[in-house]
Amino acid sequence: RADDSGAGAPFVYNQMPQHPPLYYLAMASVLQVERALVGDAPSLDREVGLLRFVNVAMLTPLPLLAWALARRLGMDDRVGTVAALLPLAIPQLTHVGAAVNNDNLLVLLGACLAVLLAGVARGHRSPIVDVGVGAVVGLALLTKGFAVMFLPIVVLAYVLCAWTRPRVRQAAIRGGAVATGVSVALGATWWIRNWIVEGEPAPTTENLT
């Protein structure tokens, strides 16, 4: 950069390698399967088109998950039906959903987490649910750094479960610990390794010295 008007000047920061690898590994696997079936590498536009279709498919479950969330919160089918239509009102959802973008996997995981935590907050939890919550959060942490915002929501859901149901309070606390442990064990590995090897959790590939 010839001028120093940009953020971080005079250095150039490349944020792309700072993203966790899960989404990109998944998209690379899609291309590997495609090339194995086709027998050769198709043109770039066809491969990008395939990845766009895969990203659209990631967001296809959103209406069903919105319905399930409403039902988990105790609403009737009519409210669930309205909730299922709400994703259609989200600005730019079709634009972002049709792009090759790690936000799509994060949105899908966040929607799954919302359904699980709605049940937890109302006392419908079990060891399987606890592990499921931890696994979803862990995968989200391997998808994008913004997933760290899921952690206080998880804590809040388990606190509500323990607060409103004294008879299962100890079980709820243990369940929250299990969910946290699974999420950290699964999702923090990439960040911790960066911290140990590179000295920071999300290093840039640019040479800043």
Side-chain angles (χ1 to χ4, degrees), residues 9-110:
F11 303 115
V12 179
Y13 292 91
N14 181 6
Q15 71 162 350
M16 291 308 297
Q18 292 179 298
H19 288 299
L22 181 60
Y23 172 82
Y24 303 102
L25 290 174
M27 295 302 100
S29 298
V30 170
L31 295 183
Q32 287 178 332
V33 171
E34 177 207 23
R35 294 174 184 181
L37 294 175
V38 173
D40 195 8
S43 61
L44 178 61
D45 62 323
R46 288 181 58 185
E47 293 206 315
V48 172
L50 173 62
L51 294 179
R52 292 182 67 183
F53 276 120
V54 171
N55 279 263
V56 169
M58 286 183 188
L59 299 187
T60 301
L62 286 185
L64 179 60
L65 292 169
W67 173 86
L69 174 60
R71 296 292 289 156
R72 282 288 182 93
L73 291 174
M75 308 299 178
D76 59 25
D77 277 331
R78 289 180 298 178
V79 176
T81 301
V82 174
L85 297 175
L86 289 179
L88 302 177
I90 299 176
Q92 296 292 306
L93 179 64
T94 55
H95 170 71
V96 175
V100 184
N101 191 324
N102 62 2
D103 285 333
N104 298 318
L105 181 55
L106 185 67
V107 168
L108 175 61
L109 292 170

Side-chain angles (χ1 to χ4, degrees), residues 129-168:
V129 171
D130 300 332
V131 173
V133 168
V136 172
V137 174
L139 293 175
L141 287 170
L142 289 177
T143 301
K144 200 160 187 172
F146 286 146
V148 72
M149 299 304 297
F150 291 159
L151 295 175
I153 302 173
V154 171
V155 172
L156 178 60
Y158 280 92
V159 167
L160 285 174
C161 181
W163 182 268
T164 58
R165 287 162 178 79
R167 287 184 296 179
V168 296

